[in-house]
Amino acid sequence: MTSYWKQKKEKIMFRLEQLTLQKRLVIAYVLIMLLPSLLISLYIFRGLTGNTVQELQRNNEYALEIEQINIRNNIETMKRASERTFIETQVITYLAQPDLMSVWDLIELDRISLQNILRIQYNNPSIERIRLYTSNPKTNEMLPVLYYESRVKQDPWYSAVMEADKDDVWIFSRSTRELIQSRPGLEEDFKPKISLYQQKFAGGMHVGISQVDMLMTNFFPNTFSPLQDDQSQMIVFDPEGEIYRNPANGFLDRFGVSDDILIKQFALINSDRGGKGSFKFNVGNIPFLGVYSYIEPLDVYMLKVSSLKAVYDGVNQTRNLIILANAVLLVILALATYFMNSVILKKLHVLTDSMKKVRQGDFGFDINIRGGGEVGDLAHHFRKMLRKINELIADAVNKQAASKEAELATLKNQIDSHFLYNTLENIKMMAEINDQREISNALTSLGGMMRYNMRWTSEYVRLRDELNHISNYIHIANIRFDDRIRLVTDISDWDMNQELLKMSLQPVVENSIKHGLGDKEMTIAIRTETIGETMLITVTDDGMGISADYVQELNRRILRGGTPNGEPDKRDTAEKGNGIGLANVHSRIQMHFGKEYGLQVDSEQGAYTCVTIRIPYLILNGGLANENIADRG
């Protein structure tokens, strides 16, 4: 599949290359203007669509807040009604009394206390029914308020109320079983209701249950209102996940949004109980927006579903009209550009002919194009290019001659170095003949150092080769300092093949000897440590050390590349050096390996000095089979 698209791309590019510059300019102009115009239009209208949807969402949230205010008011109304049923002293006494009451007491109870309960119901038109259920067998039922609990023990809500103890229990029901069947056909009331149940206690003992009913149409007035817009509908999810909505509102049915679809969509976002939010979903090709809010006392959700089709259709229609207007305008501008380019490109043909002369080797002519503008600038620079070409040809001839002279000088240097090596070998042989072993060994070390210094076939060497060079250097230094310098290495055979820049360690060791030796013996220890993909090489001496203040100054100089302002420090003390050698090593490491690598100095005066070199962990093996090769090139 990748090769197919690659071939298609190559064909398109080939066809574009076959077009004239004029046509390519027009195509480029159209693409440059049309594509950004389309993208900007799409971006703007996408934002407009988002803003419109957000505005619709805010309106739906406001509608839910209004409905919640109504719900909270109805909750308070039902709670107050339930509490007032038990304020009557005679009712409490009657439910808790151990003996049967007299007929006159029952008449007095019905005339005053139970009638007060009925007045609560009559004074609150939204309340459908108030009932008390007594658990005391010594009482009598007094309809339509007082009933025995035995009549409702088989109802599903009874066990939930008993388990809730003193908590409120809210029950949603689509129908209600009639306790007293006055005539056939009235066994069940099919009006959806919400009921509040509370246990009643006297002296800490259960004496009954209160029930306050309210029709759904009264409890959720806006949800079941007959005045609804035709692009949205409000519904209720009870704690069991069942849906209650106004059947007279045909919005959801008209768009084919069934209760099962709403339950599935709502289950995707309703993982935790509580909160509020929104979600989008599609039914067929029609998009919808759902805004929901949780009602904690009832453990239910209010959901308002709105159609986004009208929103998207209006925005898309406006977007398409603007895009079409942009496209027509671009076509007109493209045609105008085509004819303007035809005039401009006439001068380009003159430049083309001039370039053909240059290709044939003719550089001694001028082009007859003057004036400003892009083509005039191009002609001006073309003339300057002809002069520059003539200058470069002359420079190339001069550089070729200089290169020959450099080759001769290099050959001479090679001859001189071979002469010097041979001379050292002869002196070494003379020392061995005269049994001067120390002189012979010193000449061997000096010769090794000279060969190492003069062989620069590459910037990179093995750590093994650099250590051999350091060993030769210390051997020669010990001639001057009476063998007071000792070199110790703690490096594995594998790390000996670590790649590093040539002459990275000698300036460090040289600094240790120059500023740390003093009048006593000194040990220089070289160790390696690998951390991830980084190699740390530490050069530690037990010499005179450096003060803490100067360690900071020296590290700053190393980072700056030497002493302040690039001038050498002329103070020559045992503690202070100019740091140029260490700064050069640091700069070379960062130049070849990156800014995260380099060199750092740590020291304690009178104790030690430690220089840590951080470089990439790279082992040279495999490709360098000959151990005598000291570089990777």
Side-chain angles (χ1 to χ4, degrees):
M1 190 59 123
T2 304
S3 59
Y4 169 78
W5 288 110
K6 186 177 180 180
Q7 292 177 358
K8 293 290 289 184
K9 179 182 177 182
E10 290 176 352
K11 288 182 180 179
I12 293 173
M13 294 303 296
F14 177 77
R15 291 178 180 175
L16 287 175
E17 291 172 356
Q18 302 306 310
L19 298 175
T20 62
L21 179 59
Q22 184 176 0
K23 292 180 180 179
R24 278 184 279 176
L25 286 173
V26 172
I27 293 174
Y29 175 79
V30 171
L31 291 177
I32 291 172
M33 296 297 293
L34 181 60
L35 291 180
S37 175
L38 292 175
L39 292 176
I40 292 173
S41 298
L42 292 175
Y43 176 78
I44 292 174
F45 283 102
R46 184 178 179 183
L48 178 61
T49 302
N51 293 335
T52 306
V53 173
Q54 289 179 359
E55 181 66 23
L56 177 61
Q57 179 176 334
R58 285 192 293 268
N59 292 337
N60 288 349
E61 290 174 352
Y62 178 73
L64 291 178
E65 290 176 1
I66 296 298
E67 184 71 334
Q68 287 187 41
I69 293 173
N70 296 327
I71 293 171
R72 284 194 292 268
N73 292 335
N74 291 328
I75 289 174
E76 290 300 320
T77 299
M78 295 178 71
K79 281 187 175 182
R80 285 196 301 269
S82 177
E83 292 169 358
R84 291 181 63 184
T85 59
F86 215 56
I87 292 176
E88 299 289 338
T89 305
Q90 287 183 321
V91 174
I92 299 173
T93 303
Y94 181 67
L95 294 179
Q97 55 94 19
D99 300 318
L100 293 174
M101 295 180 66
S102 65
V103 175
W104 293 109
D105 291 336
L106 291 175
I107 293 173
E108 187 70 12
L109 174 69
D110 178 64
R111 187 178 65 84
I112 299 177
S113 298
L114 296 184
Q115 289 300 320
N116 288 339
I117 293 175
L118 288 175
R119 289 191 190 95
I120 296 173
Q121 176 179 337
Y122 298 149
N123 292 334
N124 292 275
S126 58
I127 294 178
E128 179 71 9
R129 181 186 297 116
I130 300 177
R131 285 177 177 176
L132 285 174
Y133 299 99
T134 176
S135 61
N136 189 351
K138 299 297 184 178
T139 58
N140 294 310
E141 290 184 329
M142 304 182 71
L143 307 185
V145 176
L146 192 60
Y147 296 84
Y148 286 133
E149 276 190 15
S150 58
R151 290 183 179 273
V152 294
K153 283 187 176 181
Q154 73 274 21
D155 289 348
W157 57 263
Y158 182 79
S159 58
V161 174
M162 297 303 293
E163 292 173 359
D165 196 17
K166 296 182 180 181
D167 295 334
D168 297 337
V169 177
W170 297 89
I171 300 297
F172 287 74
S173 59
R174 298 186 185 277
S175 61
T176 306
R177 181 176 61 88
E178 289 292 339
L179 300 181
I180 305 297
Q181 299 179 11
S182 58
R183 61 180 183 272
L186 297 179
E187 296 85 0
E188 193 169 2
D189 182 6
F190 289 97
K191 296 178 181 179
K193 302 181 183 66
I194 180 169
S195 303
L196 170 61
Y197 295 94
Q198 292 179 339
Q199 284 198 65
K200 300 300 181 181
F201 297 89
M205 296 183 60
H206 171 80
V207 296
I209 299 172
S210 68
Q211 174 186 348
V212 180
D213 293 345
M214 186 177 290
L215 295 178
M216 290 281 188
T217 53
N218 294 328
F219 195 84
F220 301 100
N222 292 339
T223 303
F224 291 89
S225 172
L227 302 176
Q228 299 281 347
D229 64 85
D230 58 352
Q231 293 298 320
S232 66
Q233 185 170 357
M234 199 178 297
I235 61 178
V236 180
F237 282 88
D238 72 0
E240 305 300 325
E242 294 188 12
I243 289 179
Y244 292 85
R245 59 188 175 98
N246 185 3
N249 189 336
F251 165 72
L252 295 177
D253 298 331
R254 186 170 67 254
F255 287 98
V257 183
S258 64
D259 290 352
D260 292 338
I261 293 175
L262 291 174
I263 292 172
K264 290 179 181 178
Q265 291 294 332
F266 196 69
L268 296 176
I269 54 91
N270 188 25
S271 57
D272 298 324
R273 309 295 286 181
K276 60 182 180 179
S278 63
F279 61 94
K280 296 178 183 178
F281 65 97
N282 290 342
V283 177
N285 296 324
I286 302 175
F288 293 90
L289 171 67
V291 179
Y292 63 90
S293 179
Y294 180 69
I295 304 174
E296 183 176 1
L298 306 180
D299 191 25
V300 300
Y301 279 91
M302 294 292 304
L303 174 66
K304 187 167 186 181
V305 180
S306 302
S307 172
L308 296 176
K309 185 175 184 302
V311 174
Y312 290 160
D313 288 347
V315 173
N316 290 339
Q317 183 178 3
T318 305
R319 179 197 62 198
N320 295 337
L321 289 174
I322 293 180
I323 291 176
L324 179 61
N326 287 338
V328 173
L329 180 61
L330 285 173
V331 170
I332 296 172
L333 293 177
L335 293 175
T337 304
Y338 180 85
F339 291 108
M340 291 176 64
N341 287 338
S342 64
V343 176
I344 297 172
L345 293 178
K346 288 181 179 180
K347 295 181 179 180
L348 289 179
H349 294 306
V350 177
L351 287 174
T352 303
D353 295 336
S354 300
M355 290 178 183
K356 290 179 181 178
K357 292 180 181 180
V358 172
R359 185 186 63 184
Q360 295 170 358
D362 183 5
F363 301 99
F365 66 91
D366 193 10
I367 53 176
N368 187 21
I369 297 178
R370 297 291 185 270
E374 288 78 4
V375 178
D377 290 341
L378 182 61
H380 169 70
H381 291 295
F382 185 75
R383 283 191 291 269
K384 294 181 68 175
M385 183 186 70
L386 290 177
R387 289 195 293 270
K388 189 66 176 179
I389 289 174
N390 290 325
E391 293 174 1
L392 291 176
I393 291 173
D395 289 343
V397 173
N398 294 332
K399 287 180 180 179
Q400 188 174 9
S403 177
K404 293 296 182 182
E405 292 180 2
E407 290 178 3
L408 292 175
T410 302
L411 181 59
K412 181 178 181 298
N413 289 334
Q414 290 178 350
I415 295 173
D416 291 343
S417 63
H418 286 300
F419 172 75
L420 184 58
Y421 296 152
N422 292 334
T423 302
L424 287 175
E425 288 294 330
N426 291 333
I427 297 173
K428 175 185 174 184
M429 292 299 297
M430 292 173 63
E432 289 179 352
I433 292 172
N434 292 295
D435 199 22
Q436 298 291 330
R437 296 295 177 184
E438 291 184 2
I439 297 176
S440 175
N441 292 338
L443 289 172
T444 301
S445 298
L446 181 59
M449 287 184 63
M450 292 179 65
R451 287 186 176 88
Y452 187 78
N453 288 339
M454 293 182 179
R455 186 179 60 213
W456 284 84
T457 57
S458 174
E459 287 280 349
Y460 303 93
V461 295
R462 286 191 178 95
L463 179 58
R464 184 194 313 279
D465 302 311
E466 188 77 358
L467 289 176
N468 289 337
H469 177 66
I470 296 300
S471 179
N472 290 332
Y473 175 78
I474 290 179
H475 185 211
I476 294 174
N478 272 324
I479 297 174
R480 175 185 174 188
F481 297 110
D482 299 328
D483 293 324
R484 288 189 288 126
I485 307 169
R486 187 166 68 95
L487 177 65
V488 177
T489 59
D490 181 12
I491 302 172
S492 65
D493 292 338
W494 180 257
D495 288 348
M496 283 292 187
N497 291 319
Q498 164 68 30
E499 175 189 83
L500 76 161
L501 293 174
K502 189 174 181 178
M503 299 297 290
S504 294
L505 297 182
Q506 181 183 329
V508 180
V509 174
E510 187 176 350
N511 259 16
S512 296
I513 296 172
K514 181 178 179 181
H515 303 292
L517 181 59
D519 298 327
K520 62 175 185 176
E521 293 185 352
M522 183 176 69
T523 299
I524 298 175
I526 301 178
R527 297 180 176 87
T528 60
E529 180 184 0
T530 303
I531 303 177
E533 297 182 356
T534 301
M535 167 71 76
L536 300 181
I537 303 175
T538 58
V539 181
T540 308
D541 67 71
D542 56 357
M544 299 175 62
I546 310 173
S547 66
D549 292 339
Y550 192 70
V551 168
Q552 294 181 1
E553 174 64 21
L554 182 58
N555 282 319
R556 284 196 294 267
R557 291 184 181 185
I558 290 170
L559 292 175
R560 287 196 302 263
T563 56
N565 302 321
E567 295 295 332
D569 193 342
K570 299 189 178 172
R571 292 172 295 178
D572 188 11
T573 66
E575 177 186 272
K576 298 185 179 180
N578 55 38
I580 292 178
L582 299 182
N584 287 340
V585 174
H586 178 79
S587 298
R588 289 179 62 212
I589 290 174
Q590 289 200 335
M591 182 177 65
H592 285 82
F593 297 128
K595 295 295 183 182
E596 64 270 27
Y597 302 103
L599 182 146
Q600 183 177 354
V601 180
D602 296 302
S603 182
E604 182 179 338
Q605 193 164 19
Y608 74 93
T609 299
C610 177
V611 178
T612 303
I613 299 175
R614 178 185 295 268
I615 58 177
Y617 182 52
L618 179 61
I619 297 298
L620 291 174
N621 57 12
L624 296 176
N626 185 357
E627 291 186 356
N628 294 325
I629 296 177
D631 55 67
R632 65 176 188 179

